Amino acid sequence: MFDLNYWPLIGIPVVVIGFALRFNPLLVVTFAGLATGWAVNLDFISLLQTFGEKFMNSRQLASFILILPVIALLERYGLQQRARDWISQIKTATSARILALYFIVRECSAALGLLSLGGQAQTVRPLLAPMALGAATNKYGELPKPVKDMISAHAAAVDNIAVFFGEDIFIAFGAVLLMDAFLKENGITGIEPLHIGLWAIPTAICALVIHLFRLARLESKIAKAVQKYNAPEPIL
Amino acid sequence: MSKVIDADVSHTSTALVTIENIYLLIGIMVMFLVVRTLQDKNHPKRLTTALFWFLFGSSFLFGDFAIATFGAQITYLMVGISVLLIALLAGLNLVSMGSYSIPSEQVQNQSAKTLGNKLFIPALMIPIVTVVFTVLFDNVAINNVYLLDQRHLTLASLTIACIFALLVGWKITGGSPVQAVSESRRLVDSIGWAAILPQMLAMLGGVFIVAQTGDSIKELVTLFIAPDNRFMLVVLYCIGMAFFTMIMGNAFAAFPVMTAGIAMPFLIEGHGASPAPLVALGMYSGYCGTLMTPMAANFNIIPAALLDLKDKYHVIKVQIPTAVTLLAVNIILMYSLVFND
């Protein structure tokens, strides 16, 4: 066990410490890359070329930028205000109920393969977060910033969790195909993507139950937080 | 237009909306924002912010052209140097928000009242048109030229959806696409460095592959293996998947390494575990890790920036309780489902 080579691991403590000390993440990640390259004796020019190649080949990750002009335009003309007004007409709407309903729809549609039906830039920023915030504003009046942030963060989390644990049920999704290909490559036969998709269902249901349980308690958390932040400053 | 069924998808087939054209579109948009930034006289960090986005936009606007003209190695080196500069500009805090003319809350309220629910139409069009195009127009072709890039169907459909939504938004609000792109500077600037983090992380992942970091992690994890203890093997595989995913930011990178290192030799061959539930639950354990790491920036950090959260780790903090509970559930499910004897 003494032949374990620890040097390639050096990037990990760099990232952990850098993020923990809240240095700029771009700087931390670049530094981790430089440190790892140095630790395994990669020459500087080929290291920079690796940087450039991987950066170029992952440009599709920036495609959310294309969505921003539409969102920015609609927001200028009052999209967020409209979302809030519209939700105020539904008397039974609460932040938690809106998020729970979105979670169910998002997880089920992801299981059917309709992954692009939602997303952080597509639906959370322009629609879901303003509606969840609107419902709470209708109930408590203007919200303090920490409460706004808590509700918005929950809106983002709902989209992530619902899509992650729904998508693996859909048998044509990349992860299922990756697992299938891996098993076949390693000589395990008789497994179809359908089997893998089926075994994703128990966790998908647990994710739904666990997160809906948390959302059920969100309303009282919001009420408490509003009370806390709106309490008059104690006189010293 | 004819719908070609069972078309032979070869890599040489051309398309109207190719990934290269989409990169050009992003490049043009970013460069337009650079010009707008330079015109913003009240911008506190005008020149350095403009340089930051110029370097970023260059890899989109000139990247593929440079590869074709100067060759891949020189282009990669230039982009690599740009990446160092980008990180330095962000690290030295030289990139910031500018000044924007936003109509008052009253004007926005008035506009919201006048336009009503019509405002939702363009926003809803983005996901709906994307899905419609990926499902119905996926292999539409004229004379062997596809409408959509066959290897990037979703992205090509999303681009078309954004263009449609912009045009419909123009019709409804009267604000032109040029105005829309100008408006988007407010959003792009508020996202700031976070917009580039996912690509930086992909880059770090690439360096980890070259340095064979994965093998070292696998060896590190296998130090803890007790081959006869089924329960501990299951725990090690699930937690190993989550841990490795947190480091790489991507469960797909962790899956082959951890499955080949622990699941195949010890659980499947050693204890006769059933492969289908084993790998399905193993992958989901990785997803639990994705929810807990800033390395999965496009899921966890970009939303915090998009939603203007004060704490950039707020989304992760909200996700951790669900992720940890689900990881425990996965371990229990795996232990009770995969063994047949």
Side-chain angles (χ1 to χ4, degrees), chain A residues 49-59, chain B residues 76 199 202-207 209-210:
Chain A
Q49 283 173 339
T50 309
F51 277 16
E53 182 184 355
K54 301 297 172 186
F55 192 83
M56 288 275 288
N57 290 342
S58 59
R59 284 176 296 174
Chain B
Y76 291 154
Q199 273 172 272
M203 179 188 95
L204 182 60
V207 176
I209 289 171
V210 174

Side-chain angles (χ1 to χ4, degrees), chain A residues 1 4-5 8 19 30 49 55 59 63 76-77 81-82 125 145 149 160 165 168 203 211 214, chain B residues 59 64 101 108-109 111 117 183 187 199 213 216 219 281 284 287 299 306 308 310 318-319 322 330:
Chain A
M1 288 298 172
L4 173 55
N5 185 3
F19 278 9
T30 308
Q49 283 173 339
F55 192 83
R59 284 176 296 174
S63 53
R76 186 185 181 100
Y77 287 94
Q81 285 80 358
R82 184 59 212 161
R125 155 101 194 197
K145 172 75 175 156
D149 278 10
N160 281 341
F165 293 96
D168 273 10
T203 311
H211 206 71
R214 284 189 62 206
Chain B
S59 71
D64 296 301
S101 65
Q108 288 191 7
N109 274 330
S111 154
N117 287 345
E183 291 289 334
L187 293 187
Q199 273 172 272
T213 304
S216 290
E219 284 177 47
L281 292 165
Y284 267 163
Y287 285 14
F299 296 111
L306 266 175
D308 196 25
K310 187 166 164 278
V318 166
Q319 288 172 168
T322 302
N330 258 338

Side-chain angles (χ1 to χ4, degrees), chain A residues 100-172:
Chain A
L101 180 67
Y102 183 89
F103 189 98
I104 296 168
V105 172
R106 182 84 165 117
E107 190 173 9
C108 293
S109 59
L112 297 173
L114 303 172
L115 296 182
S116 39
L117 215 47
Q120 299 292 349
Q122 294 97 315
T123 46
V124 176
R125 155 101 194 197
L127 299 168
L128 182 64
M131 284 183 188
L133 286 170
T137 310
N138 292 328
K139 206 165 166 187
Y140 302 107
E142 189 56 33
L143 301 170
K145 172 75 175 156
V147 179
K148 276 188 184 170
D149 278 10
M150 179 171 85
I151 297 171
S152 297
H154 266 281
V158 157
D159 188 75
N160 281 341
I161 298 169
V163 78
F164 282 7
F165 293 96
E167 67 189 8
D168 273 10
I169 298 174
F170 182 61
I171 53 170

Side-chain angles (χ1 to χ4, degrees), chain B residues 202-250:
Chain B
M203 179 188 95
L204 182 60
V207 176
F208 281 168
I209 289 171
V210 174
Q212 296 178 318
T213 304
D215 292 344
S216 290
I217 297 178
K218 188 178 81 185
E219 284 177 47
L220 191 67
V221 172
T222 46
L223 286 180
F224 298 97
I225 276 189
D228 297 326
N229 189 334
R230 277 182 180 183
F231 184 69
M232 286 317 290
L233 283 171
V234 166
V235 169
L236 202 61
Y237 178 46
C238 291
I239 291 182
M241 272 298 296
F243 171 70
F244 200 147
T245 304
M246 287 178 73
I247 290 164
M248 303 297 279
N250 184 348

Side-chain angles (χ1 to χ4, degrees), chain B residues 103-135:
Chain B
S104 70
E105 183 85 0
Q106 267 177 336
V107 175
Q108 288 191 7
N109 274 330
Q110 190 50 48
S111 154
K113 283 209 171 60
T114 321
L115 295 169
N117 287 345
K118 274 192 282 183
L119 268 172
F120 292 138
I121 297 172
L124 291 171
M125 271 181 73
I126 297 178
I128 293 170
V129 173
T130 308
V131 166
V132 167
F133 268 79
T134 38
V135 175

Side-chain angles (χ1 to χ4, degrees), chain B residues 48-306:
Chain B
T48 45
T49 303
L51 177 63
F52 178 84
W53 291 109
F54 174 80
L55 291 170
F56 175 66
S58 297
S59 71
F60 288 85
L61 195 55
F62 310 123
D64 296 301
F65 174 76
I67 287 180
T69 317
F70 308 114
Q73 292 313 312
I74 293 177
T75 308
Y76 291 154
L77 184 60
M78 297 305 290
V79 176
I81 294 168
S82 304
V83 166
L84 289 188
L85 281 172
I86 286 173
L88 224 58
L89 285 168
L92 297 175
N93 208 10
L94 294 170
V95 183
S96 76
M97 300 278 290
S99 64
Y100 315 91
S101 65
I102 312 163
S104 70
E105 183 85 0
Q106 267 177 336
V107 175
Q108 288 191 7
N109 274 330
Q110 190 50 48
S111 154
K113 283 209 171 60
T114 321
L115 295 169
N117 287 345
K118 274 192 282 183
L119 268 172
F120 292 138
I121 297 172
L124 291 171
M125 271 181 73
I126 297 178
I128 293 170
V129 173
T130 308
V131 166
V132 167
F133 268 79
T134 38
V135 175
L136 297 180
F137 297 91
D138 54 343
N139 45 21
V140 170
I142 315 165
N143 291 338
N144 221 15
V145 176
Y146 286 96
L147 173 65
L148 307 172
D149 193 320
Q150 294 297 297
R151 277 166 296 148
H152 301 272
L153 277 177
T154 310
L155 188 48
S157 304
L158 177 70
T159 308
I160 290 178
C162 287
I163 293 168
F164 269 120
L166 260 185
L167 295 175
V168 173
W170 188 7
K171 178 110 174 75
I172 290 172
T173 65
S176 71
V178 173
Q179 189 195 347
V181 177
S182 299
E183 291 289 334
S184 72
R185 185 167 67 95
R186 179 172 48 88
L187 293 187
V188 173
D189 282 350
S190 78
I191 298 172
W193 54 260
I196 301 176
L197 188 58
Q199 273 172 272
M200 288 283 202
L201 291 167
M203 179 188 95
L204 182 60
V207 176
F208 281 168
I209 289 171
V210 174
Q212 296 178 318
T213 304
D215 292 344
S216 290
I217 297 178
K218 188 178 81 185
E219 284 177 47
L220 191 67
V221 172
T222 46
L223 286 180
F224 298 97
I225 276 189
D228 297 326
N229 189 334
R230 277 182 180 183
F231 184 69
M232 286 317 290
L233 283 171
V234 166
V235 169
L236 202 61
Y237 178 46
C238 291
I239 291 182
M241 272 298 296
F243 171 70
F244 200 147
T245 304
M246 287 178 73
I247 290 164
M248 303 297 279
N250 184 348
F252 290 10
F255 179 77
V257 179
M258 296 307 292
T259 309
I262 300 177
M264 291 288 301
F266 296 104
L267 284 163
I268 295 179
E269 284 160 28
H271 289 276
S274 169
L278 187 74
V279 293
L281 292 165
M283 186 66 95
Y284 267 163
S285 303
Y287 285 14
C288 294
T290 314
L291 293 172
M292 298 191 283
T293 178
M295 303 297 281
N298 45 342
F299 296 111
N300 298 336
I301 306 295
I302 296 242
L306 266 175

